[in-house]
Amino acid sequence: MTQHVSPPRGGTEKTTPVDQPPAWRAVLARADVRTLSLVGVLAALILVGGITKPDEFLDTRNLQLVLTQASVIGVVTVGMTFVIMSGGIDLSVGAIVALSSVWATTVATQEYGFGGILLTSVLVGLGCGLVNGLLIAYGGMVPFIATLAMLASARGLALQITDGKTQIVTVDSVLDLGLRDAYVLGIPPLVMVFAVVTIIGWLVLNRTTFGRRTVAVGGNAEAARLAGIDVRRQRLYLYLLSGLCCGIAAFLLIILSGSGQNTNGNLYELDAIAAAIIGGTLLSGGRGTITGSVLGVLIFTTITNIFALNNLQSDVQQIAKGAIIVAAVLVQRRTASTT
């Protein structure tokens, strides 16, 4: 015999499961798990480095070197994270870094000193980002094709400017930033710039309408358009942001190497994409974190350093990186299928 329970008088019964957490808490929990997993991988790598080469790896100078090398590609990765989250891709970041670095280190540019080199690096990066953004957002080109064309063009122009030669920086105020005397409390200036860019990127992504629009465009561009978001303008801004990060990274690379070369930034696009992917950024767009991308950069830079200290060949290093990328993508697919 079936019993019928009548709802209380005065309204319709509302059933609210008290044992089920809100959706946003579940999202935060998954994000925390991904972040903790990356921290665990980084800690394991540090442990490996400390066991295999304790004197060299744990030396303060070596740790400073790891952070300094991570700073250049890290700044590029921050911009790349925004682009990928919007559902795009930027294959030209390495070539833009090269072009910015050689344009900023010509004899004519160096005559304007520190300000001239910095301004040129940033403006060239912004200019290339503007071209990418216009072609993709308003020209209707596929991001892969547009940025691939920029990759070839920027590399060719960088080679033409340098004529295949290394351009030595002679501005003391730029070179001094790479010396240990410029360190603040043992922290290199390049690392501090990277930290500032990371913090700003995190705030923009998580605390501004620009960040919310980026996520919305990457999640569903048509729905974002119907919600009143100017999708084309947002994409233009994102490639400008990527170009800006490349210009800043080029200036950091100039400080680090003391020169400008057309080979600068080689394979930066692959390293930046890989770091963003293992950091939890979806290639299809709509999800990603600046924290995860930064941890991805630190993981790859630490791997490179450990391999170098142990005199392992670069081909083994590339195989290891490839395996990590594949594993990260498989984890992403499994996570996406269970959510």
Side-chain angles (χ1 to χ4, degrees):
M1 186 173 181
T2 306
Q3 293 182 345
H4 297 279
V5 180
S6 301
R9 295 179 180 180
T12 306
E13 182 181 12
K14 296 182 179 179
T15 58
T16 303
V18 295
D19 58 339
Q20 183 176 354
W24 63 269
R25 288 186 179 179
V27 172
L28 286 179
R30 289 195 298 272
D32 288 340
V33 169
R34 287 193 297 267
T35 301
L36 290 175
S37 299
L38 292 172
V39 171
V41 172
L42 182 59
L45 288 173
I46 293 175
L47 182 62
V48 171
I51 293 175
T52 57
K53 291 287 182 179
D55 295 334
E56 294 91 338
F57 181 79
L58 297 178
D59 183 72
T60 303
R61 291 177 179 268
N62 183 64
L63 296 178
Q64 290 171 336
L65 175 63
V66 171
L67 292 175
T68 301
Q69 292 175 338
S71 298
V72 180
I73 186 62
V75 172
V76 176
T77 303
V78 170
M80 181 69 79
T81 301
F82 277 91
V83 171
I84 296 179
M85 284 187 64
S86 71
I89 198 74
D90 192 348
L91 300 178
S92 63
V93 291
I96 295 175
V97 169
L99 180 59
S100 299
S101 69
V102 300
W103 207 322
T105 54
T106 61
V107 175
T109 305
Q110 292 195 51
E111 290 179 356
Y112 294 93
F114 183 97
I117 294 176
L118 174 59
L119 183 62
T120 302
S121 298
V122 172
L123 289 180
V124 172
L126 282 172
C128 293
L130 176 63
V131 173
N132 280 337
L134 290 174
L135 290 175
I136 294 167
Y138 295 95
M141 292 187 67
V142 177
F144 182 91
I145 300 300
T147 57
L148 185 63
M150 175 59 72
L151 183 156
S153 302
R155 282 288 179 194
L157 185 54
L159 178 61
Q160 186 179 48
I161 292 175
T162 61
D163 195 23
K165 301 175 182 177
T166 300
Q167 297 179 164
I168 304 300
V169 176
T170 59
V171 180
D172 292 337
S173 56
V174 174
L175 297 174
D176 290 345
L177 291 176
L179 302 177
R180 295 188 63 82
D181 292 340
Y183 290 10
V184 179
L185 300 177
I187 303 175
L190 275 68
V191 178
M192 290 188 285
V193 173
F194 177 35
V196 170
V197 172
T198 299
I199 293 171
I200 293 175
W202 187 91
L203 291 174
V204 170
L205 180 60
N206 296 282
R207 294 291 184 267
T208 67
T209 56
F210 183 89
R212 290 190 288 272
R213 288 171 181 169
T214 300
V215 175
V217 170
N220 190 322
E222 181 61 20
R225 185 186 67 81
L226 294 175
I229 297 175
D230 191 332
V231 175
R232 294 190 298 178
R233 184 172 61 186
Q234 183 70 17
R235 284 175 174 161
L236 173 62
Y237 288 162
L238 288 166
Y239 282 95
L240 277 171
L241 175 61
S242 179
L244 173 63
C245 289
C246 289
I248 296 173
F251 183 71
L252 298 182
L253 192 57
I254 291 171
I255 296 173
L256 185 61
S257 64
S259 64
Q261 305 176 52
N262 66 285
T263 56
N264 281 344
N266 187 34
L267 297 181
Y268 272 20
E269 56 277 358
L270 299 183
D271 288 342
I273 293 171
I277 290 173
I278 70 170
T281 303
L282 287 180
L283 275 174
S284 57
R287 193 185 77 189
T289 65
I290 298 297
T291 303
S293 296
V294 170
L295 288 172
V297 171
L298 293 175
I299 287 172
F300 275 132
T301 308
T302 305
I303 290 174
T304 302
N305 184 258
I306 293 174
F307 274 65
L309 291 178
N310 286 275
N311 297 319
L312 296 176
Q313 296 180 353
S314 59
D315 55 351
V316 180
Q317 174 184 328
Q318 298 301 324
I319 293 173
K321 286 185 177 181
I324 292 174
I325 295 171
V326 171
V329 173
L330 291 176
V331 169
Q332 280 190 3
R333 289 174 62 88
R334 183 175 179 82
T335 302
S337 63
T338 56
T339 56

